[in-house]
Amino acid sequence: MKKIIVIPGDGIGKEITDSAVAVLKKVDEKFNIGLEFEYRDAGGASYDKYGEPLTAETLEACKAADAVLFGAVGGPKWDNIEVSKRPEKALFGLRKGLGLYGNLRPVKIYDALIDGSPLKPEIVAGSDILIVRELVGGIYFGERCESEFVDGVERAWDTEIYSVPEIERIVKLGFESAQKRRKKLTSVDKANVLASSRLWRRVVKEMAKNYPDVELNLMYVDNCAAQLAINPKQFDVIVTSNMFGDILSDEFAAIGGSLGLLPSASIGELTSFFESISGSAPDIAGKNIANPIGCILSAAMLLRFSLKEEKAAHAVEMAVDKTLADGFRTAEIYKDGLKKCSTTEMTQAIVDRI
Ligand code: IPM
Ligand code: MG
């Protein structure tokens, strides 16, 4: 049996993981994988029950599993609790605890959804990008100070540190990902200002010698943000630091038309971890209107990366393509003349097409 830990978390997390599990059960039936699901809490849901966003037992259960399927964490209910107990801490605890140094965020522009993009169709059509984001280092995990007084003036600070081995392992993932795709890698940094970026750039240039088949581009993050809106088709794989990857991946997601459509895989030293990049969307939670596709496609990545079930992964992706081509749309991507559907109806439509 393959054990999958399901962590619904907060907000729309329960609805979208229910959808992904329904899809996984259908694939299991069809491809005889032998899946076993175990549910755990994290984020606000865990804080409410156990007083902490991530318990040691949950982390241990994840370490022992074949894969983790994650919903989302956070919401206004927990906005005012102590920083160390915030729901997001669950994510950081899992990222660090499982050694998830590489976050893969593929952004594909569906033909059926092109008019949902804020960019002109001729600019965005055919874009297909993979962001490889460093996930356990940089400014997210550097030393910080929430508040201190210097000469009577209050201030706060964060630090960005990257070591050579940390840069090497994520850049290696970037080059290897590019080798499996269109063989173009763009490394994004802010080397005109930041020391950590200058080291990053030096390491990338050095490593490029080992990948002569990959065309390397070095780009500043501000330019990358602009290029993304001007000509997204120029990109194949982008490798970048934790914070730049966070920001750019939301921009990429937005040009695709909806954050709810995009999956992600976080891979590293132990169990890999799969989540939609939609976030917990507390404003629409519990209404059965969230788009489950990002989470369902994350389940497809889980099948591919953790379980090596390429056929099953492909079947899920094809079913999503077909469902969109057949006109099914959740509220946030709905247009006149198409089939407006709820979370559960979208899920059923996808399950029926597997
Ligand atoms: C993401 C999210 C998280 C991050 C938040 C929820 C802490 O934005 O996964 O991109 O910044 O990493
Ligand atoms: Mg983000």
Side-chain angles (χ1 to χ4, degrees):
M1 294 297 273
K2 301 282 183 194
K3 178 168 284 179
I4 298 173
I5 302 285
V6 182
I7 303 183
D10 308 319
I12 60 169
K14 173 164 185 337
E15 295 154 76
I16 61 176
T17 49
D18 279 351
S19 298
V21 168
V23 166
L24 285 171
K25 284 187 172 157
K26 175 70 187 268
V27 206
D28 194 15
E29 232 175 80
K30 198 162 168 180
F31 295 89
N32 268 314
I33 305 168
L35 298 178
E36 192 185 341
F37 301 94
E38 181 182 319
Y39 283 79
R40 294 277 170 171
D41 289 306
S46 172
Y47 175 78
D48 289 347
K49 272 196 201 163
Y50 313 109
E52 44 187 316
L54 178 70
T55 63
E57 291 75 33
T58 296
L59 180 57
E60 287 313 308
C62 291
K63 284 183 183 168
D66 290 288
V68 179
L69 180 70
F70 189 83
V73 289
K77 182 176 174 200
W78 305 282
D79 269 354
N80 296 315
I81 62 178
E82 180 198 329
V83 180
S84 69
K85 307 273 185 197
R86 287 185 62 94
E88 293 79 14
K89 287 282 167 186
L91 264 181
F92 302 145
L94 286 161
R95 287 175 184 172
K96 259 295 193 230
L98 299 174
L100 303 172
Y101 64 83
N103 182 217
L104 306 176
R105 297 187 168 185
V107 183
K108 184 177 136 186
I109 307 296
Y110 289 91
D111 284 342
L113 297 180
I114 270 197
D115 52 354
S117 170
L119 299 186
K120 295 192 193 81
E122 63 271 25
I123 289 185
V124 77
S127 301
D128 180 357
I129 302 163
L130 174 69
I131 286 232
V132 178
R133 169 188 175 192
E134 199 290 322
L135 205 59
V136 291
I139 199 163
Y140 271 57
F141 290 94
E143 209 189 315
R144 58 171 54 92
C145 168
E146 299 289 331
S147 168
E148 69 179 13
F149 286 82
V150 174
D151 296 331
V153 177
E154 187 179 18
R155 62 182 199 179
W157 47 265
D158 303 274
T159 45
E160 163 126 328
I161 298 183
Y162 270 116
S163 67
V164 171
E166 281 177 310
I167 300 169
E168 280 172 348
R169 67 179 177 182
I170 190 70
V171 172
K172 178 167 184 275
L173 188 58
F175 274 113
E176 288 174 356
S177 303
Q179 280 179 323
K180 292 186 200 132
R181 295 175 40 112
R182 301 191 305 278
K183 301 190 169 47
K184 273 187 77 174
L185 180 68
T186 306
S187 171
V188 173
D189 62 40
K190 190 70 188 170
N192 49 348
V193 180
L194 303 177
S196 53
S197 280
R198 282 190 283 275
L199 179 66
W200 180 287
R201 198 169 264 231
R202 211 171 80 207
V203 170
V204 171
K205 278 190 191 158
E206 193 54 42
M207 288 176 73
K209 294 174 192 156
N210 304 326
Y211 302 91
D213 53 330
V214 176
E215 180 194 330
L216 174 68
N217 234 310
L218 302 167
M219 197 177 272
Y220 296 141
V221 63
D222 49 349
N223 184 30
C224 181
Q227 290 304 319
L228 206 52
I230 297 167
N231 177 16
K233 268 180 278 211
Q234 71 185 283
F235 297 105
D236 176 16
V237 178
I238 290 183
V239 65
T240 191
S241 66
N242 203 340
M243 186 156 72
F244 295 157
D246 177 46
I247 299 168
L248 291 175
S249 61
D250 268 26
E251 187 186 356
F252 282 125
I255 69 170
S258 167
L259 262 66
L261 287 167
L262 298 177
S264 83
S266 300
I267 63 172
E269 293 151 15
L270 295 164
T271 318
S272 298
F273 178 97
F274 303 84
E275 64 176 324
S276 152
I277 77 156
S278 60
S280 61
D283 49 321
I284 60 162
K287 295 186 177 159
N288 197 23
I289 58 173
N291 191 337
I293 290 180
C295 196
I296 290 171
L297 291 174
S298 301
M301 293 184 90
L302 182 157
L303 291 164
R304 174 172 298 122
F305 285 100
S306 287
L307 309 184
K308 313 286 177 229
E309 294 283 348
E310 177 59 37
K311 269 197 195 136
H314 190 68
V316 173
E317 288 162 352
M318 288 298 103
V320 169
D321 280 357
K322 182 90 181 32
T323 304
L324 289 171
D326 288 346
F328 288 85
R329 299 286 186 277
T330 40
E332 92 291 2
I333 51 172
Y334 173 73
K335 290 256 156 51
D336 272 352
L338 296 169
K339 301 184 182 108
K340 190 169 186 175
C341 63
S342 64
T343 310
T344 43
E345 287 162 348
M346 177 65 98
T347 306
Q348 193 56 49
I350 294 169
V351 167
D352 291 343
R353 283 164 180 74
I354 292 174

